[in-house]
Amino acid sequence: MKTALPSRTAPVVLAAPSGTGKTTIAHALVDSSDDFVFSVSATTRLPRPGERHGEAYEFVSREEFQRMIAKGHLAEWAEVHGNLYGTPVRSLERARELGKYAILDIDVQGARQIRERIPEAVLIFILPPSAEALRERLSVRGTEAPEQVRHRLLTAHRELDEAPRFDYVVVNEDLESAVAGVRTLVEAERHRTTRALDVSAEVGRIQREIERVLDRA
Ligand code: 5GP
């Protein structure tokens, strides 16, 4: 089933390897402009301290999640780190009714499904400025053991392969310019003709850096 959304309010998908800062960008974007509304996903993951139902996520049981899939209530869904995550169709419908862009903070598997289902969606891949910055951000979270950091770096390496299939990439050098970058792209999308950045070269560069970081670890 295809959801016919007018391009004026096409969903905007932000995907990136863990530690790239995409969730911060997504929330800063929504806070900075009335044009955007955060798409609240459903998840089977348990809430972290401070996370309230209906804000970061709708926290549901596996059974409830399976019911949502069966009823066609999810526009996309994927298993990430052992938990299920999905975008409720009604999140997208609500944004469309409001004439706003839904901001989807989802993983690359979900982005692929949105691309198929909603061809006019704007897919933006957030790149870390370097492997070292990524490693630092993953480490300073403090919650990740060195082996976890290594595992996430390997996952990042794999996920970076997806970047060239996105419409755009934004390098998260600093929050303000990354948010400004996404805003500009959404605006420019209405006038898009070609892609400007050599995504493959940039992805290859960061993958080579990750390989060097992994060799050193
Ligand atoms: P976290 O549990 O750290 O909040 O999120 C883990 C990963 O799941 C992140 O990459 C996040 O973007 C992704 N994610 C969050 N919501 C969704 C969703 O609705 N669909 C998909 N496919 N991924 C999601």
Side-chain angles (χ1 to χ4, degrees):
M1 187 190 87
K2 277 196 173 134
T3 313
L5 293 172
S7 60
R8 171 74 183 85
T9 57
V12 177
V13 173
L14 300 182
S18 163
T20 307
K22 91 185 138 145
T23 304
T24 311
I25 294 174
H27 286 287
L29 204 56
V30 171
D31 289 346
S32 74
S33 165
D34 275 349
D35 291 342
F36 303 106
V37 56
F38 189 74
S39 164
V40 177
S41 296
T43 184
T44 60
R45 149 164 105 53
L46 293 173
R48 295 187 186 124
E51 281 184 338
R52 294 226 302 266
H53 185 84
E55 283 180 8
Y57 289 104
E58 277 177 40
F59 297 99
V60 300
S61 65
R62 274 207 169 232
E63 294 68 33
E64 177 59 20
F65 198 95
Q66 296 295 352
R67 253 196 306 276
M68 292 172 93
I69 297 173
K71 287 186 177 164
H73 288 177
L74 297 177
E76 62 74 33
W77 66 273
E79 178 147 2
V80 186
H81 308 310
N83 293 301
L84 299 171
Y85 295 83
T87 302
V89 171
R90 82 181 132 72
S91 283
L92 305 183
E93 287 174 350
R94 201 175 300 135
R96 183 184 54 186
E97 283 159 18
L98 293 169
K100 296 184 181 199
Y101 293 100
I103 299 292
L104 278 60
D105 167 4
I106 63 178
D107 87 317
V108 292
Q109 309 169 72
R112 221 181 291 134
Q113 295 170 48
I114 293 289
R115 164 58 84 225
E116 277 172 24
R117 183 169 176 160
I118 311 173
E120 70 273 26
V122 184
L123 267 61
I124 302 175
F125 197 95
I126 310 292
L127 284 177
S130 68
E132 197 50 48
L134 189 60
R135 194 190 59 76
E136 268 171 28
R137 284 185 204 165
L138 287 170
S139 307
V140 295
R141 281 181 177 179
T143 50
E144 321 279 4
E147 198 40 50
Q148 272 284 353
V149 172
R150 198 182 157 77
H151 177 72
R152 285 182 186 253
L153 280 173
L154 282 167
T155 306
H157 189 283
R158 194 178 59 240
E159 288 176 337
L160 282 165
D161 282 334
E162 292 284 329
R165 285 186 273 284
F166 279 60
D167 296 316
Y168 298 103
V169 295
V170 167
V171 181
N172 187 15
E173 195 80 57
D174 68 273
L175 180 63
E176 208 175 310
S177 36
V179 170
V182 172
R183 290 176 60 94
T184 307
L185 289 177
V186 172
E187 181 56 33
E189 178 64 18
R190 293 184 213 157
H191 313 277
R192 178 164 71 94
T193 56
T194 56
R195 296 168 201 240
L197 184 69
D198 185 348
V199 180
S200 302
E202 185 67 3
V203 165
R205 180 180 73 75
I206 296 172
Q207 285 178 324
R208 283 192 297 280
E209 286 183 6
I210 291 179
E211 282 154 20
R212 282 199 292 275
V213 169
L214 288 169
D215 283 346
R216 281 209 310 271

